[in-house]
Amino acid sequence: LRNLRMNLSPVYPFGGPERVPIPEDKIEWVSDWVEYTPPEFTLESILRGDKEWADKELQLTDVGLWPKWNQHDGGINRKSHHGNYRTDNDGYPLNPAGRTGIRGRGSLGRWATNHAADCIITRWKKNEDGYVVMLEGKPQLQFIGIIRKDTGEAAFPGGMIDAGEDAMTAVKREFLEEVFSIEEATDEDRSVLEDSLEDVFRDGETVYKGYVDDRRNTDNAWIETEAISFSLNGLDTDVFSNLKFKAGSDAKGALWIDIDQNVKLYASHKSIIKLLIEKENAYW
Ligand code: RP5
Ligand code: MG
Ligand code: MG
């Protein structure tokens, strides 16, 4: 996990402070570093407590009311995919990937693991004559990507898992929100869309479960995802040929993206798509 820190930008986004630079030998919490006092940052709107998807700020005087770390705490999954995370002397959860140079939650709502889910819908790329594109003897895959509003980068459609929700439900919901603006759709359009996608969503396979190298991670809050893939290759019809993408929610664009080793994607999405490429023995 100590390698998943490439995207920790020197300055925290959303008006945050500069991160304290972390020397290689001080990444892990087990390496003592008594002078380490990183700045604390949590978005004002989260601190105010008016976001229903966010935890309360922790009060040192009320430790009994703190979340139950490393457990399912009510509807909220506070476990990590990487085993039990540690807490510091005051009881704050510690990022399993090590020091990040900033304390607090940044722009993340939950303390400790913020569970996300990503949707990877793929098909073989075809040329105008309908033949699968072969490169260096291997078929080329494409996936439905979005362009994120926050960074302008291409990414999987995905988002945070709501309290009480499971990853599969979150994956479908986020896909419909970000690629088809389902929140603005009429009831009729919504049910047409859900019916047409039923076959697509029938067989999902988990490609990756774990920590994501996301620029929003802090010492006390980090993102882990479950990325689930769905293949159109075994289906009789390509339902997307009759459906028009309409980006919504935190996406400003939605499109089919060709996959090869030069693809540029948000956070850890490139290493996740690589896992799928290896499994499918597709062109990279
Ligand atoms: C990434 O952030 C995850 O892999 C997921 O794609 C995304 C979740 O955050 P939002 O899309 O809700 O901002 O690390
Ligand atoms: Mg979303
Ligand atoms: Mg999202």
Side-chain angles (χ1 to χ4, degrees), residues 42 45-58 66-69 73 76-78 93 105 108-114 163 220-221:
T42 302
S45 56
I46 291 173
L47 287 175
R48 273 201 306 269
D50 52 8
K51 301 277 183 211
E52 90 289 344
W53 42 263
D55 288 331
K56 298 261 168 314
E57 188 59 1
L58 304 180
W66 284 26
K68 306 280 175 286
W69 309 128
D73 181 12
I76 303 158
N77 178 8
R78 301 197 186 275
R105 282 173 285 169
L108 298 175
R110 303 256 175 239
W111 292 97
T113 310
N114 287 252
N220 311 116

Side-chain angles (χ1 to χ4, degrees), residues 26 38 46 54 92 101 108 123 130 132-133 137 173 202 208 233 236 240 249 273 282-283:
K26 293 283 186 282
I46 291 173
Y92 289 86
L108 298 175
R123 70 179 182 197
V132 172
V133 172
R173 175 181 54 71
R202 190 153 291 140
Y208 176 77
N233 295 335
D236 299 336
F240 294 104
S249 182
I273 204 83
Y283 174 70

Side-chain angles (χ1 to χ4, degrees), residues 6-237:
M6 305 269 286
N7 294 313
L8 297 178
S9 51
V11 176
Y12 195 90
F14 310 105
E18 258 177 65
R19 295 178 188 267
V20 171
I22 313 291
E24 271 297 306
D25 63 336
K26 293 283 186 282
I27 291 174
E28 273 131 44
W29 297 105
V30 289
S31 346
D32 284 332
W33 185 4
V34 274
E35 311 86 64
Y36 180 63
T37 43
E40 179 162 350
F41 180 65
T42 302
L43 281 189
E44 200 52 51
S45 56
I46 291 173
L47 287 175
R48 273 201 306 269
D50 52 8
K51 301 277 183 211
E52 90 289 344
W53 42 263
D55 288 331
K56 298 261 168 314
E57 188 59 1
L58 304 180
Q59 305 300 337
L60 282 168
T61 47
D62 259 335
V63 179
L65 300 177
W66 284 26
K68 306 280 175 286
W69 309 128
N70 292 304
Q71 294 178 35
H72 282 271
D73 181 12
I76 303 158
N77 178 8
R78 301 197 186 275
K79 290 165 82 82
S80 162
H81 289 299
H82 303 279
N84 283 356
Y85 47 85
R86 301 144 48 95
T87 51
D88 70 11
N89 292 336
D90 290 324
Y92 289 86
L94 292 175
N95 187 326
R99 295 185 173 97
T100 68
I102 199 162
R103 290 174 49 81
R105 282 173 285 169
S107 63
L108 298 175
R110 303 256 175 239
W111 292 97
T113 310
N114 287 252
H115 283 282
D118 286 301
C119 181
I120 318 179
I121 295 181
T122 64
R123 70 179 182 197
W124 297 124
K125 182 181 181 182
K126 294 198 177 142
N127 62 22
E128 287 112 68
D129 303 326
Y131 293 107
V132 172
V133 172
M134 300 293 288
L135 295 167
E136 295 170 11
K138 290 181 171 182
Q140 188 173 26
L141 263 188
Q142 303 180 302
F143 75 99
I144 300 177
I146 55 132
I147 305 300
R148 292 183 62 95
K149 277 186 190 162
D150 54 359
T151 67
E153 289 167 285
F156 303 136
M160 300 302 171
I161 302 180
D162 291 338
E165 196 178 41
D166 60 31
M168 184 60 92
T169 310
V171 155
K172 296 178 190 170
R173 175 181 54 71
E174 288 287 341
F175 177 78
L176 290 169
E177 288 174 8
E178 297 187 2
V179 178
F180 286 105
S181 295
I182 193 92
E183 290 156 303
E184 294 151 31
T186 60
D187 286 350
E188 198 193 321
D189 286 351
R190 174 186 283 260
S191 62
V192 169
L193 204 50
E194 282 169 351
D195 288 350
S196 2
L197 294 179
E198 209 171 290
D199 284 341
V200 175
F201 284 131
R202 190 153 291 140
D203 286 310
E205 273 187 59
T206 296
V207 181
Y208 176 77
K209 260 190 209 187
Y211 193 89
V212 203
D213 184 1
D214 192 290
R215 66 186 190 140
R216 293 168 289 184
N217 294 336
T218 72
D219 283 0
N220 311 116
W222 61 91
I223 301 178
E224 294 185 24
T225 197
E226 177 162 352
I228 305 179
S229 72
F230 306 89
S231 172
L232 301 188
N233 295 335
L235 304 180
D236 299 336
T237 51

